[in-house]
Amino acid sequence: MAADSDPESDVFEITDFTTASEWERFVSKVEEVLNDWKLIGSSVHKPLEKGEYNSGTWEEKTEEISFADYKFTVTHHYLKKESPDGEEKEEPEEDAFPAAMQDLLCMNNDFPPRAHCLVRWYGVREFVIISPGANNDAIISESKCNLLLSSVSIALGNTGSQVPLFVQIQQKWRRMYAGECQGPGVRTDFEMVHLRKVPNQYNHLSGLLDIFKSKIGCPLTPIPPINIAIRFTYILQDWQQYSWPQQPPDFDALLGGEVGGVEFGKLPFGACEDPISELHLATTWPHLTEGIIVDNDVYSDLDPVQAPHWSVRVRKADNPQCLLGDFLSEFFKLCCRKESSEEILGRSPLEEEGKENVDISQALSKLTEPTTVQIHKLSVSSMVHSARKRMRRHRRVEESPLSNEVLNSILLYLFPDATEKPSNGSEAKPGTSNANSPPEKEPENYNLYNQFKSSPADSLTYKLSLCLCMVNFYHGGVKGVVQLWQEFVLEMRYRWENNHLVPGLASGPPDLRCCLLHQKLQMLNCCIERKKARDSGKRPSPSDSSAGSAGERKVSGSDNGKAAQNSSGTEDRRERGEANQGKSWESWSDSEEEFFECLSDTEELKENAQDDEKKEGPPKENKDAPRLKAEGRLHPHGKLTLLHYIQEPLYIPVTQEPAPMTEDLLEEQSEVLAKLGTSAEGAHLRARMQSACLLSDMESFKAANPGCCLEDFVRWYSPRDYVEEEVLDEKGNTITKGELSARMKIPGNMWAEAWETAKPAPARRQRRLFDDTREAEKVLHYLAVQKPADLTRHLLPCIIHAAILKEKEEESTEDIASVRKVISQIISNASKILRYPNPDYKKLEEIINQIMAVETIIARARSLKAKFGISKCENIDEREDLERFVNSLLEEPEVSVVGAGRGPAGSIIHDLFVTAQRAALMTLMDEESVKSGSQEERRQNQGAVSDFPPPAGREIILRTVVPRPAPYSKPLPQRMFCVLMKEDFRLAGAFSSDTSFF
């Protein structure tokens, strides 16, 4: 009883002998994967159509499983089904073969050009592979292979799956597979043999038929007919008949200085080597039987010329060297350089400091001495001489990467106006040249710069990018780039100091659609234009000068007895102002200091008017009150008159043009305005900063229309803010009455405050809104401090733009649809990337790689067209057929030859092989000339040469349907795929057997 009451006596240990082993768990995992992928049971598949393996889409799924600690990868390969699911879920027949067994006999997709090796060997449309993991050893031992095959067989039997299941064995490079497919009462075993050398007895069709017959072991006599499909592949590597059509650039001419504008304006294009390395000809006999053809160790009926079907594929050279791609790649590498220009050229700081001290002693004398601006005639020699003279102060001539001849040619190309003789000391405006007018035929190509944010294809920035790219590749690399850029900056300063407009730039303010460097150059041109206009106003004719000075003195005089002279002098100056209405306001301004005294002048005018008023007595009416003299009038404004002086017409004044701005200046301005905050004081200051142009226009309007009011200004400046309506007066007449809009009547309105602040002052006497001197120096400083990497980033959009234009030009001569599609994609991608200030380098590199790929495709097209002699073909129909054939070779993995060896393309291919064979024989005969006999024997050997070399690969498919393993078993499909190559012999067999009646 004590033992029974012990609580430990109720606990007993149970040993479970049904615990699953590692092998059972592995089988369970395989079944689980098949269930997850819904590969269980049977399904109905439509018969395969011809070429479906090539045109269809292949997909795959992957899952990871493990056998103990050994990992496997399960992959499901299948041809994507296009028909609706409802049609494929029909009930299959009770004794129907699995789809894989039906595919074994299908002859519509023999030898697919691009598919998995198991698809080519067995013709199946769906299968599963179990292969060792990436870091696991190969399955080599026979016991492990049998264990895996047993696992496969059990998993297929438990799930009822009819999909072939393969196991990869041996080393991966051997591509050895063993597998099984099960159906209702049938089973197919997939077996494989792989050898290094082809056994002599199996080096022909007869020996392979013997293997196949012995393997199927058919008990019937006679044996059912065996269907045979044969393909021989011949490789052409020697292109003796046609030379590579790409002409390399003339390096001697480039280095010798013979590089005019035409040469520097063109990017090179094409491959430096033949991008087509081999041509593979596949001759196929798709439907043969054993009794029709003879192929043994003595004789063969398989003549490639007589093959009913020919197909061709080309093997492309791996990464052929292409000129445009090399140009882009080398230029793009400069983006990663961090050195400055001084570090690259290796200047001596002490030498610079010493030379600067020499010039500083005469700095004050140069400031005090009067100097006249002389406009010299432009010429290449003068420009280069002045630039080289400045360059010698910083660097010795012998250290320059660029020679004088090359540098002169580049400057002549960039600045073609240097050879022109300007008339009257001024050159043609940059926007009036023929080069700046967009081409009429291709406006889309011309406007690509809008999408890329580069520059127009005929602009100075565009040409500069081409020159820098060529200098980087041909003339000294980054050192040459730095030297050319410094010469360019010196030329910009030379033109600014001497009032010479920069050519190749559209007139007007900076175009924000272009790159920042292009905007800077346009800003410099705007500064030069303002400076030219101001300098021209400083040198009037002697008569105008004396009259003008007299007029100024009379205005400022206070003697009452000279009132008449005061009036005439002021009128004389006003008339000169009217005569120069067409000039911009800058032509009357000299410097900022002039405009500091304009308020006192206005007050003096008011005082004179008041003195005259006192003399003449009080006016009779308000309308006759004396007013300031009108200044700075441009022309009357239609029918409008002043509201307070109805008889006086409203004049449009000469106003200052708004200051042009580049995108970086606009960004800085927006940041400054944003930092002012949202307070009342910040908002008021922001409004004043933004109303500088408005205040200037109000002052000009007051000067041109004495006695005007704010309503007059609004009617001209913003007509929508002056509301007019018809009302009835006291007499019942309809009159028009106007007033300011509601927003103009708001207390503290910016317009009203600016109007009260504005003083009557013509534009020529106002302080400049745009300081061209300061802005020009800022631009020149910005250009001078650019590092090679910064310069490359600025000009890279222009180079990509030029490269795409070059490819579109080259493609138009070849007419390749796929290339046009790729170019459109490149333009779309580049426009998304280049619109941002700092694009991603990796994305830019991808665009450059795409451009290089397009260049390679065009080079391949030219190579093939040269080899097939399309340009020499006189028959139009044959020429079109050959062009389509060549384009198909570029886009498709394998192309059928219409007419086989008897068609136009087949005849050319035949001639190519014949020529290569003869060339190879002649080389062999030359090498063995000493060993060979008489010349007659050599002629006999030459006549006996075959048109084609020995086939590089032979593929044979043997099919039949026989009962197996017993005579009373079901007739089942049997298939064996044979590959015979120089160092590879493979037999891939699929042998079906009846599991019900055996």
Side-chain angles (χ1 to χ4, degrees):
M1 295 297 292
D4 295 339
S5 62
D6 188 0
E8 293 183 0
S9 62
D10 296 334
V11 179
F12 57 92
E13 183 178 356
I14 300 175
T15 302
D16 185 7
F17 293 98
T18 63
T19 303
S21 64
E22 294 291 347
W23 175 64
E24 291 172 321
R25 291 193 186 100
F26 176 72
V27 174
S28 177
K29 290 178 182 177
V30 174
E31 295 175 7
E32 184 180 350
V33 171
L34 294 178
N35 277 280
D36 291 342
W37 289 342
K38 298 180 181 180
L39 300 179
I40 57 176
S42 59
S43 59
V44 177
H45 293 272
K46 289 184 176 181
L48 292 170
E49 297 180 359
K50 189 172 183 62
E52 190 173 353
Y53 282 177
N54 188 25
S55 60
T57 303
W58 289 90
E59 297 183 354
E60 63 180 57
K61 300 176 184 177
T62 303
E63 190 89 16
E64 297 290 337
I65 62 174
S66 60
F67 191 131
D69 57 349
Y70 195 95
K71 293 185 179 180
F72 289 91
T73 301
V74 184
T75 308
H76 178 210
H77 299 265
Y78 59 97
L79 183 66
K80 188 176 180 181
K81 304 173 184 177
E82 298 181 356
S83 56
D85 294 337
E87 297 183 5
E88 299 202 1
K89 291 183 178 179
E90 299 177 359
E91 291 295 330
E93 298 180 7
E94 184 177 355
D95 296 332
F97 291 157
M101 291 189 181
Q102 300 175 19
D103 294 341
L104 294 177
L105 298 177
C106 181
M107 306 176 66
N108 291 331
N109 293 279
D110 290 343
F111 314 110
R114 183 180 296 168
H116 194 276
C117 60
L118 292 178
V119 178
R120 189 176 186 88
W121 296 337
Y122 296 116
V124 290
R125 74 183 82 182
E126 184 178 18
F127 55 94
V128 176
I129 299 176
I130 300 178
S131 57
N135 298 324
N136 294 106
D137 298 331
I139 301 171
I140 299 177
S141 66
E142 186 177 356
S143 60
K144 290 182 179 180
C145 296
N146 292 334
L147 182 61
L148 284 177
L149 289 176
S150 300
S151 304
V152 166
S153 181
I154 294 174
L156 291 177
N158 291 340
T159 58
S161 175
Q162 297 185 2
V163 176
L165 190 53
F166 293 89
V167 176
Q168 187 172 13
I169 58 178
Q170 303 296 328
Q171 294 85 356
K172 288 189 175 182
W173 64 267
R174 298 186 64 180
R175 297 189 298 174
M176 291 280 290
Y177 298 90
E180 185 176 319
C181 176
Q182 293 185 7
V186 294
R187 185 183 73 232
T188 300
D189 295 316
F190 298 95
E191 304 172 4
M192 195 169 295
V193 174
H194 182 231
L195 300 176
R196 277 284 191 176
K197 297 292 183 180
V198 181
N200 293 331
Q201 64 271 30
Y202 305 131
N203 199 19
H204 41 74
L205 178 60
S206 299
L208 298 174
L209 283 171
D210 293 340
I211 294 179
F212 186 61
K213 291 176 183 178
S214 63
K215 184 62 181 178
I216 61 177
C218 180
L220 300 180
T221 53
I223 297 177
I226 298 176
N227 186 278
I228 305 172
I230 301 176
R231 166 174 285 205
F232 286 1
T233 301
Y234 301 89
I235 298 179
L236 176 65
Q237 295 176 323
D238 192 0
W239 307 99
Q240 293 287 340
Q241 188 173 357
Y242 297 100
S243 60
W244 171 228
Q246 174 68 29
Q247 294 297 328
D250 190 353
F251 294 97
D252 295 335
L254 290 172
L255 296 174
E258 299 177 8
V259 282
V262 178
E263 293 295 332
F264 265 105
K266 292 183 179 180
L267 284 175
F269 190 88
C272 298
E273 56 183 326
D274 196 338
I276 304 296
S277 59
E278 295 177 354
L279 183 142
H280 294 197
L281 170 64
T283 59
T284 307
W285 293 263
H287 304 289
L288 296 175
T289 56
E290 183 179 0
I292 296 178
I293 200 77
V294 176
D295 181 48
N296 51 38
D297 55 352
V298 178
Y299 174 78
S300 177
D301 289 333
L302 300 175
D303 184 6
V305 179
Q306 303 300 325
H309 184 269
W310 278 19
S311 58
V312 175
R313 68 169 64 193
V314 292
R315 182 177 179 183
K316 290 102 174 176
D318 297 332
N319 300 322
Q321 182 183 4
C322 296
L323 295 174
L324 180 61
D326 290 349
F327 263 57
L328 292 179
S329 300
E330 292 299 323
F331 193 72
F332 180 71
K333 290 178 182 178
L334 296 181
C335 294
C336 302
R337 301 290 294 261
K338 297 182 180 180
E339 305 96 329
S340 63
S341 300
E342 289 76 10
E343 292 173 348
I344 291 175
L345 295 179
R347 294 182 181 179
S348 174
L350 298 176
E351 184 181 357
E352 288 186 1
E353 184 179 357
K355 293 185 177 180
E356 288 177 359
N357 293 335
V358 174
D359 298 332
I360 201 170
S361 59
Q362 300 179 356
L364 293 177
S365 61
K366 289 186 177 180
L367 289 174
T368 55
E369 291 177 359
T371 57
T372 58
V373 179
Q374 297 181 0
I375 302 179
H376 302 281
K377 292 185 179 181
L378 285 176
S379 65
V380 172
S381 58
S382 63
M383 284 194 301
V384 174
H385 176 72
S386 61
R388 297 301 299 172
K389 186 177 180 180
R390 294 185 181 116
M391 291 294 292
R392 289 192 191 100
R393 292 202 299 256
H394 303 287
R395 187 173 64 252
R396 289 177 295 179
V397 179
E398 57 270 14
E399 297 178 358
S400 301
L402 294 177
S403 63
N404 288 336
E405 292 78 10
V406 174
L407 188 59
N408 291 347
S409 301
I410 297 175
L411 292 176
L412 178 61
Y413 169 65
L414 294 177
F415 306 104
D417 61 338
T419 57
E420 301 173 1
K421 292 184 179 181
S423 58
N424 300 328
S426 63
E427 69 279 354
K429 293 183 179 181
T432 58
S433 62
N434 295 333
N436 290 323
S437 58
E440 299 179 358
K441 295 182 180 180
E442 296 181 347
E444 296 181 359
N445 293 349
Y446 183 83
N447 293 327
L448 273 180
Y449 74 92
N450 293 340
Q451 305 178 43
F452 293 163
K453 200 173 179 60
S454 58
S455 62
D458 49 16
S459 63
L460 175 64
T461 314
Y462 185 91
K463 296 178 181 178
L464 175 65
S465 64
L466 297 180
C467 291
L468 289 174
C469 190
M470 185 167 291
V471 166
N472 177 59
F473 196 79
Y474 286 137
H475 306 290
V478 64
K479 288 188 176 182
V481 170
V482 172
Q483 182 189 356
L484 177 57
W485 175 245
Q486 291 187 346
E487 295 283 355
F488 182 85
V489 174
L490 290 174
E491 178 63 27
M492 293 299 100
R493 178 166 291 281
Y494 175 85
R495 287 177 176 269
W496 158 248
E497 293 174 353
N498 294 275
N499 291 356
H500 296 312
L501 290 175
V502 180
L505 300 174
S507 58
D511 190 352
L512 301 182
R513 300 171 299 176
C514 299
C515 63
L516 182 58
L517 184 62
H518 188 81
Q519 297 177 38
K520 292 292 184 182
L521 296 179
Q522 285 184 306
M523 174 68 83
L524 182 62
N525 243 11
C526 292
C527 297
I528 295 174
E529 288 179 354
R530 301 287 178 95
K531 184 168 178 282
K532 283 184 62 177
R534 190 173 68 252
D535 291 346
S536 63
K538 289 167 60 177
R539 291 189 296 273
S541 61
S543 59
D544 291 345
S545 177
S546 59
S549 59
E552 292 292 341
R553 287 196 300 273
K554 292 171 184 175
V555 170
S556 60
S558 58
D559 190 357
N560 296 339
K562 297 180 181 179
Q565 297 178 2
N566 180 8
S567 171
S568 62
T570 305
E571 184 67 18
D572 180 32
R573 190 179 63 177
R574 185 185 65 79
E575 289 178 359
R576 288 203 318 275
E578 295 294 335
N580 293 274
Q581 288 173 2
K583 295 184 179 181
S584 61
W585 70 274
E586 296 90 336
S587 60
W588 301 99
S589 61
D590 187 9
S591 64
E592 291 185 2
E593 287 75 6
E594 286 188 20
F595 310 108
F596 293 155
E597 304 299 330
C598 61
L599 297 179
S600 62
D601 293 343
T602 306
E603 291 174 357
E604 288 178 358
L605 290 173
K606 288 183 178 179
E607 291 174 359
N608 293 339
Q610 291 176 0
D611 293 341
D612 295 341
E613 182 180 356
K614 292 178 180 179
K615 286 185 177 183
E616 296 176 2
K620 297 180 181 179
E621 295 180 4
N622 189 25
K623 296 181 180 180
D624 297 334
R627 293 176 288 126
L628 299 177
K629 295 297 180 180
E631 294 182 280
R633 288 178 172 177
L634 187 61
H635 59 76
H637 184 288
K639 299 180 181 180
L640 292 182
T641 59
L642 299 181
L643 294 178
H644 293 170
Y645 300 92
I646 301 177
Q647 296 180 355
E648 288 289 333
L650 188 148
Y651 283 89
I652 296 177
V654 177
T655 60
Q656 296 192 48
E657 296 181 7
M661 301 187 75
T662 57
E663 62 181 22
D664 59 334
L665 296 179
L666 289 172
E667 185 176 355
E668 291 178 6
Q669 186 184 53
S670 62
E671 290 179 358
V672 171
L673 295 177
K675 290 180 180 179
L676 295 177
T678 57
S679 61
E681 183 180 359
H684 183 72
L685 182 58
R686 188 185 302 108
R688 290 195 61 182
M689 292 177 62
Q690 293 176 328
S691 62
C693 185
L694 175 66
L695 181 64
S696 172
D697 293 341
M698 285 182 172
E699 292 181 346
S700 300
F701 187 83
K702 282 188 173 182
N705 298 278
C708 62
C709 59
L710 177 60
E711 286 81 357
D712 292 324
F713 178 77
V714 170
R715 286 194 299 161
W716 163 63
Y717 207 82
S718 180
R720 289 181 296 180
D721 284 311
Y722 188 78
V723 183
E724 293 183 343
E725 58 180 355
E726 294 182 354
V727 297
L728 297 176
D729 59 0
E730 298 175 354
K731 299 180 181 180
N733 298 328
T734 302
I735 60 175
T736 302
K737 185 178 180 181
E739 60 179 356
L740 294 176
S741 63
R743 78 183 184 101
M744 290 292 179
K745 296 180 180 179
I746 299 175
N749 181 271
M750 182 183 65
W751 287 54
E753 292 182 358
W755 182 260
E756 295 297 331
T757 307
K759 304 297 181 182
R764 59 188 173 85
R765 297 173 58 192
Q766 297 175 8
R767 181 171 181 173
R768 287 179 288 174
L769 294 177
F770 176 62
D771 189 347
D772 54 81
T773 304
R774 182 179 62 184
E775 294 300 328
E777 290 298 332
K778 287 171 63 177
V779 170
L780 292 173
H781 175 72
Y782 179 85
L783 299 179
V785 299
Q786 291 297 303
K787 295 181 179 180
D790 301 330
L791 181 62
T792 305
R793 282 192 290 268
H794 283 309
L795 295 179
L796 194 60
C798 299
I799 290 296
I800 293 177
H801 179 194
I804 291 179
L805 289 183
K806 183 66 175 180
E807 290 190 339
K808 294 186 74 172
E809 176 188 350
E810 299 292 336
E811 185 276 330
S812 61
T813 60
E814 306 300 332
D815 190 20
I816 308 172
S818 61
V819 170
R820 288 195 295 270
K821 184 178 179 181
V822 175
I823 291 177
S824 300
Q825 294 176 352
I826 295 175
I827 293 175
S828 177
N829 296 336
S831 61
K832 296 176 183 177
I833 297 173
L834 296 175
R835 67 180 60 175
Y836 298 105
N838 296 313
D840 187 1
Y841 282 176
K842 292 184 179 179
K843 294 181 178 179
L844 286 176
E845 192 172 5
E846 291 177 1
I847 291 178
I848 292 176
N849 291 336
Q850 292 175 0
I851 293 175
M852 295 168 63
V854 169
E855 181 186 17
T856 304
I857 294 175
I858 297 177
R860 289 169 181 163
R862 291 182 173 173
S863 176
L864 290 174
K865 288 183 178 181
K867 291 172 174 56
F868 283 89
I870 293 180
S871 59
K872 300 177 182 179
C873 184
E874 298 179 357
N875 191 325
I876 298 178
D877 295 336
E878 291 185 2
R879 182 171 183 173
E880 293 178 354
D881 293 340
L882 288 175
E883 288 180 351
R884 284 194 294 268
F885 177 74
V886 168
N887 291 337
S888 300
L889 280 177
L890 296 173
E891 301 172 3
E892 301 176 11
E894 191 170 282
V895 181
S896 298
V897 180
V898 179
R902 293 167 294 279
S907 301
I908 295 175
I909 295 171
H910 188 189
D911 293 340
L912 288 173
F913 275 97
V914 170
T915 305
Q917 283 293 97
R918 291 178 179 174
L921 179 64
M922 293 298 295
T923 303
L924 183 62
M925 291 177 63
D926 292 340
E927 293 177 355
E928 299 182 356
S929 58
V930 178
K931 300 179 182 179
S932 61
S934 62
Q935 188 174 4
E936 184 177 352
E937 292 181 358
R938 271 184 274 171
R939 290 176 183 174
Q940 292 177 358
N941 294 333
Q942 186 175 357
V945 65
S946 174
D947 291 350
F948 290 87
R954 291 173 290 169
E955 298 170 286
I956 300 173
I957 300 177
L958 306 177
R959 300 184 186 90
T960 188
V961 178
V962 297
R964 191 171 177 267
Y968 47 83
S969 300
K970 284 183 182 179
L972 298 175
Q974 317 293 329
R975 172 183 172 125
M976 188 173 73
F977 189 94
C978 314
V979 179
L980 292 81
M981 300 177 67
K982 185 176 181 181
E983 294 184 355
D984 189 68
F985 175 72
R986 186 184 301 272
L987 300 179
F991 305 105
S992 306
S993 57
D994 190 343
T995 58
S996 299
F997 302 96
F998 56 90

